[in-house]
Amino acid sequence: MKAIIRWVMPALVLLGFAIFFNDRGGKSEPDFTMAEVKVVEGIVATFDVSRTQAGSGNRQSSRVDYLLTLTGRPRNVAFRLDTTPAGGVKAGMRVRLEILEDAEAAFTSATRYPDGSNRIHAVGAVVDGRPVYTAAEYVARSESAASGNGRIALIFLLLALAWGAVVYFVKIRPYVRSGKAAW
């Protein structure tokens, strides 16, 4: 029986890899669809770079936030960019931001509560007609990663099944036919 377990272990390891990559594929899927993306356009009023701390204890990390506000909109609503163009962002530049939240509701809430602050993450940004990053690129990268991990999981699953068939025909089936199996 111990010999059969040694033969079955590689199939279990391959099956574990298949489960791992299948889970990674599920986690790689995009967080949103392009139908959920809303667009806000305007002119930059202020631009600020700040550092935000995240985590606690030994797992602290910091993130650089690129925040901008728009002219004609409440100052307590800032849009957070993931990155900026090579020349940076300056006041007076035209921007087109792709966001997931309803910006008009945030602007209304900001005028109602002027002491509060609201940071809206921009999943896409175009500054002065130059695309910095877009939501479509993010969705395409995420979908590609998810399908790639799914394919790898399928390969490991097929390898595990093939190894299981080899074990059955080489080890288990002859053992059962020999009559030594007492089940």
Side-chain angles (χ1 to χ4, degrees), residues 111-129:
T111 53
R112 213 176 298 147
Y113 305 104
D115 293 336
S117 68
N118 191 359
R119 290 185 178 181
I120 300 174
H121 178 238
V123 293
V126 176
V127 178
D128 266 353

Side-chain angles (χ1 to χ4, degrees), residues 69-99:
T69 59
L70 301 177
T71 57
R73 300 296 187 170
R75 296 273 187 225
N76 56 354
V77 176
F79 294 93
R80 184 175 61 85
L81 305 179
D82 291 336
T83 186
T84 61
V89 178
K90 295 172 184 55
M93 292 180 144
R94 291 202 56 75
V95 291
R96 179 181 180 273
L97 304 171
E98 298 171 337
I99 60 174

Side-chain angles (χ1 to χ4, degrees), residues 132-147:
V132 180
Y133 59 96
T134 65
E137 290 173 351
Y138 171 79
V139 169
R141 274 194 317 270
S142 297
E143 287 174 347
S144 176
S147 68

Side-chain angles (χ1 to χ4, degrees), residues 14-82:
L14 290 170
L15 189 60
F17 276 115
I19 291 169
F20 170 75
F21 278 104
N22 187 49
D23 181 52
R24 258 183 92 167
K27 290 178 181 175
S28 299
E29 290 178 355
D31 299 332
F32 58 89
T33 62
M34 288 304 294
E36 298 172 42
V37 175
K38 296 159 190 69
V39 175
V40 174
E41 294 184 3
I43 297 174
V44 176
T46 62
F47 180 73
D48 187 34
V49 179
S50 66
R51 188 171 292 279
T52 304
Q53 295 292 329
S56 62
N58 291 336
R59 300 199 150 223
Q60 279 192 347
S61 63
S62 62
R63 178 182 76 198
V64 176
D65 286 340
Y66 303 102
L67 302 171
L68 62 87
T69 59
L70 301 177
T71 57
R73 300 296 187 170
R75 296 273 187 225
N76 56 354
V77 176
F79 294 93
R80 184 175 61 85
L81 305 179
D82 291 336

Side-chain angles (χ1 to χ4, degrees), residues 160-183:
L161 291 174
W163 185 255
V166 167
V167 168
Y168 175 74
F169 284 111
V170 171
K171 248 351 202 179
I172 296 175
R173 189 172 175 212
Y175 181 73
V176 171
R177 285 192 169 180
S178 70
K180 292 180 186 175
W183 50 44

